[in-house]
Amino acid sequence: MLDRQIAPQSFMLKDLALTKPEVKELSNGLSIHIIQDETNPVLKIDFLFAAGKVNDEKSGQSLICAKAMVEGTKSYPGSELQELLDHYGAHLDVSVDYDHTTVSLLCLKEHINPLLPVLKSAITEPLFDEADFEKIKLQQIQKIRVNNQKNALIATKNLRNKLLNGTPYATTLEEEHLKAITKDDIEDYFKQYFTIKPEIIIAGDFDDDIFKFLEEHFVMLEFSRQEEQYDSKLSPVIVDDLIKRDGSVQASIRMGAISINRNHPDYFDLSIANEILGGYFGSRLMKNIREDKGYTYGIYSVLINYKHLDYHIIGADVKIDHVEDTVSEVYKEMELLKNSLVPEEEIETIKNYMLGKIASSLDTVFHQSENYKSKLAEGANYLDYFDAYVKSIRNITADRILEISNKYFSEKYCVVKVA
């Protein structure tokens, strides 16, 4: 009988069972990256385009374009597109971030052939109906109006505007931006950036028949343009800024500093030090500011990586009377990491936590596909990246954490407080 007073035996993760992607090429030069899984008859196809919000000439172009692309195409107008997807139990989506746009199709393997023309139509001939365009704009304007009443989002926007100043990453979408966008603007964006040659990532039960279908439907497409050059110059504005809002019952704090990219030799060790600082529920910031002081329900510290820019952000929503106290305690915890060795017991805890976190982020073929896609976008080798990450976690020492903390937590932080 199970004795629930005895903790189950624990052990450190040894190896990651990652599927090695296979790369094939269509006759027109399009690369297909395949992550094979025969256990379920499902396929997910991602077309990854190297263009996103940083390429907007008018803020919001890429977002509205992405949302309009799945409202209807010239071959499948209006409700006909949705009815067809519903009939096959499939999902078609276009998502856009700062650096990339992904057009995704998820469906059963047996339905892939009749659905590939739908995917092709979405990336080559979106309808951009006037009524759909206006509906999407109105929905996004309403969303912005709601968000602009939230202290947390106001703090995040203001931090980005200051810390990432001089780059497109500092731009945050506002109501006036959307009102200025015309249907011609999103059509121009589509014509300019969906001619960039995409990468195709397929996860699931792939076979030779699927390859033949892809060849049949996509071989005639031509993608002649390469991705755009990035020439913005980062000019951070480092301030300690307090934004007062009448009626606030809770304050939001955001602290940020420019950091390093995932290809930097210190990145993995910095991510470990950051996890100790504020990356998980047992972190030092959580124990101090949540459990000991009771200033907040939660506080986080995260490294954010874009294609051309990287930064470290710490955020919390706190009791309005403890804004300055919270900022002081954050700096205090950074100083402790810079001046005192982390105990071995705490290091073992973070090792086990982070190895488990990596394993859970790769536990399905679709999770692996998402991770592979991000590494492909970054120009990193998928398998080598995670092997190196696991090795860094296993080998991290207290001395190395002290060294990394002094190197990267000594930056001057931009602080935005909304109360």
Side-chain angles (χ1 to χ4, degrees), residues 335-346:
E335 289 300 314
L336 285 172
L337 282 172
K338 288 157 57 179
N339 293 289
S340 303
L341 293 174
V342 177
E344 284 302 316
E345 182 180 358
E346 188 176 359

Side-chain angles (χ1 to χ4, degrees), residues 180-195:
I181 292 177
T182 67
K183 192 164 75 75
D184 287 342
D185 291 329
I186 66 167
E187 290 176 345
D188 290 343
Y189 183 92
F190 178 83
K191 291 172 184 175
Q192 185 172 1
Y193 294 109
F194 282 83
T195 55

Side-chain angles (χ1 to χ4, degrees), residues 197-362:
K197 184 178 178 181
E199 299 287 344
I200 305 173
I201 302 98
I202 300 182
D205 189 8
F206 187 90
D207 58 28
D208 289 341
D209 286 339
I210 305 299
F211 184 82
K212 291 176 185 176
F213 295 150
L214 289 165
E215 179 81 15
E216 175 187 343
H217 291 293
F218 294 101
V219 72
M220 73 292 299
L221 300 184
E222 294 182 1
F223 298 93
S224 57
R225 296 182 65 253
Q226 300 300 312
E227 61 183 281
E228 296 288 299
Q229 294 298 312
Y230 180 86
D231 58 4
S232 296
K233 185 173 178 58
L234 176 66
S235 303
V237 178
I238 306 300
V239 296
D240 189 327
D241 197 9
L242 174 62
I243 300 171
K244 296 293 291 183
R245 296 189 71 230
D246 292 338
S248 290
V249 295
Q250 183 171 263
S252 292
I253 300 169
R254 298 294 182 270
M255 303 171 62
I258 300 303
S259 189
I260 57 177
N261 63 50
R262 285 192 176 102
N263 296 319
H264 193 286
D266 289 340
Y267 180 79
F268 294 141
D269 291 341
L270 175 58
S271 70
I272 297 167
N274 176 70
E275 209 76 20
I276 293 170
L277 175 65
Y280 75 119
F281 194 76
S283 71
R284 292 189 171 194
L285 289 178
M286 285 290 280
K287 287 178 179 178
N288 179 342
I289 296 168
R290 182 185 189 274
E291 296 178 17
D292 182 30
K293 304 296 189 304
Y295 294 163
T296 182
Y297 284 111
I299 185 168
Y300 64 86
S301 176
V302 63
L303 300 172
I304 295 180
N305 303 102
Y306 295 124
K307 189 171 184 177
H308 306 286
L309 187 153
D310 311 272
Y311 68 104
H312 175 215
I313 183 171
I314 298 167
D317 295 335
V318 304
K319 293 180 178 179
I320 203 161
D321 295 333
H322 295 294
V323 173
E324 299 302 333
D325 294 333
T326 300
V327 174
S328 296
E329 291 300 322
V330 170
Y331 282 129
K332 174 184 170 183
E333 291 299 338
M334 287 184 183
E335 289 300 314
L336 285 172
L337 282 172
K338 288 157 57 179
N339 293 289
S340 303
L341 293 174
V342 177
E344 284 302 316
E345 182 180 358
E346 188 176 359
I347 291 176
E348 287 304 305
T349 298
I350 203 65
K351 285 182 177 182
N352 282 309
Y353 169 78
M354 291 189 72
L355 290 171
K357 182 180 176 182
I358 290 174
S360 66
S361 74
L362 297 163

